[in-house]
């Protein structure tokens, strides 16, 4: 038993080191004095200052944040409706097709989604005078991709929901819509918030889908980082990665706190 316990701890330590040691190295080298990302030249904050003076990188980050907020909000609203229907309407004509369409973006390769959306936006622009590729098309693509994640979170929350609370509200004269707004929605709000944070993180991180639907003048943060590292890793990328890790960790902490609140 002792041998098995040591083996399990060793395997666990190796797994965590494999996953998080590279991230720790990136964070450490964001405070490196040397321009060479593999040579430690002493502690320094100069690359942090250089990043915050990089207008192109800051502009891309601001665009990514705006797209993430818009797409996450739209995905939360649509995903809430989809998850509610999947949880509360177990049988209706076309339910299997509807559920497959909602979950489809989770299992569909992003390359396929990117090509299909590119053809959609190009065709709509030529035939109907649709929007040019840019902020709006990226937000629509990210919303389509994120709806599935929000719907699954909401559906899972409604699966163990105590419906006697809704029945009590309707027995007291509340309409179904009032019951939803005053009873159901406040109780599932932590799940909706968790879905919003998940959609926000996915939008902020996406590269493949964005490359298909972005215009020439719309370069998001992942696109800017990818184009930068193709010419060699700049120390500013380490700083940017550190900030993103801190932001993602904060969002995960908030999501976990919101999820625990439902208890």
């Amino acid at each position: 038993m002792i041998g098995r316990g040591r083996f399990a701890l060793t395997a666990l330590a190796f797994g965590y080191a494999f996953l998080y040691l590279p991230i720790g190295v990136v964070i450490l080298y964001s405070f490196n004095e040397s321009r060479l990302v593999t040579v430690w030249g002493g502690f320094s904050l100069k690359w942090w200052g250089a990043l915050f003076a990089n207008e192109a990188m800051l502009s891309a980050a601001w665009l990514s944040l705006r797209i993430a907020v818009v797409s996450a909000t739209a995905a939360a609203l649509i995903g809430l409706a989809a998850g509610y229907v999947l949880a509360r309407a177990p049988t209706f004509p076309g339910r299997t097709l509807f559920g497959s369409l909602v979950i489809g973006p989770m299992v569909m390769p992003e390359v396929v989604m990117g090509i299909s959306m590119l053809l959609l936006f190009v065709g709509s622009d030529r035939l109907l005078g649709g929007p040019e590729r840019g902020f709006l098309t990226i937000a629509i693509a990210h919303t389509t991709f994120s709806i599935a994640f929000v719907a699954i979170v909401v559906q899972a929350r409604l699966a163990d929901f105590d419906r006697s609370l809704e029945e009590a509200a309707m027995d007291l004269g509340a309409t179904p819509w009032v019951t939803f707004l005053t009873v159901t929605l406040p109780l599932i709000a932590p799940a909706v918030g968790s879905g919003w944070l998940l959609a926000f993180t996915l939008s902020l991180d996406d590269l493949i889908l964005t490359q298909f639907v972005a215009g020439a003048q719309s370069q998001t943060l992942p696109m800017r980082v990818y184009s930068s590292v193709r010419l060699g890793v700049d120390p500013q990328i380490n700083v940017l990665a550190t900030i993103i890790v801190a932001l993602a960790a904060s969002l995960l902490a908030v999501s976990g706190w919101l999820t625990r609140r439902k208890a």
Side-chain angles (χ1 to χ4, degrees):
M1 294 296 294
I2 297 178
R4 291 182 180 179
R6 289 179 179 177
F7 176 78
L9 290 176
T10 302
L12 181 63
F14 177 79
Y16 275 115
F18 180 80
L19 291 173
Y20 296 110
L21 185 59
I23 298 177
V25 172
V26 169
I27 295 175
L28 176 64
Y29 274 83
S30 67
F31 300 98
N32 187 17
E33 171 70 24
S34 174
R35 185 174 183 83
L36 300 176
V37 295
T38 58
V39 178
W40 179 258
F43 181 85
S44 176
L45 294 175
K46 72 175 185 179
W47 300 116
W48 287 76
L51 176 65
F52 287 105
N54 190 333
E55 294 185 1
M57 194 70 73
L58 294 178
S59 177
W62 175 237
L63 176 63
S64 292
L65 286 174
R66 289 187 291 132
I67 291 174
V69 170
V70 172
S71 62
T73 303
L77 294 175
I78 302 174
L80 170 61
Y84 187 87
V85 170
L86 291 174
R88 292 298 176 82
T91 56
F92 63 87
R95 185 189 187 281
T96 302
L97 177 61
F98 177 75
S100 300
L101 293 176
V102 171
I103 307 301
M106 293 185 63
V107 297
M108 187 179 300
E110 286 193 65
V111 174
V112 176
M113 290 188 61
I115 293 175
S116 61
M117 288 191 173
L118 174 61
L119 295 177
L120 173 65
F121 292 138
V122 171
S124 63
D125 185 23
R126 292 179 179 178
L127 298 177
L128 305 175
E132 296 183 357
R133 285 182 291 163
F135 177 92
L136 182 58
T137 56
I138 299 174
I140 293 174
H142 288 188
T143 301
T144 304
F145 177 76
S146 303
I147 288 174
F149 297 90
V150 180
I152 286 179
V153 174
V154 172
Q155 183 182 8
R157 177 64 184 93
L158 288 172
D160 58 356
F161 188 87
D162 187 3
R163 300 195 63 175
S164 63
L165 300 173
E166 296 175 324
E167 295 172 356
M170 287 187 284
D171 287 342
L172 294 173
T175 63
W177 178 245
V178 173
T179 301
F180 175 79
L181 292 178
T182 59
V183 178
T184 309
L185 185 59
L187 291 176
I188 66 173
V192 178
S194 298
W196 187 94
L197 291 173
L198 182 58
F200 179 87
T201 304
L202 292 171
S203 174
L204 198 64
D205 177 67
D206 185 78
L207 172 63
I208 299 175
L209 183 60
T210 306
Q211 287 184 317
F212 283 95
V213 298
Q217 304 299 324
S218 300
Q219 191 171 41
T220 62
L221 185 59
M223 295 174 64
R224 172 67 65 176
V225 171
Y226 179 73
S227 61
S228 298
V229 299
R230 291 178 65 184
L231 303 176
V233 180
D234 190 283
Q236 296 181 42
I237 302 300
N238 291 338
V239 178
L240 181 62
T242 302
I243 296 174
I244 293 176
V245 169
L247 178 62
S250 301
L251 292 176
L252 287 175
V254 173
S255 177
W257 177 74
L258 290 174
T259 303
R260 287 193 299 271
R261 280 195 61 190
K262 71 180 183 181

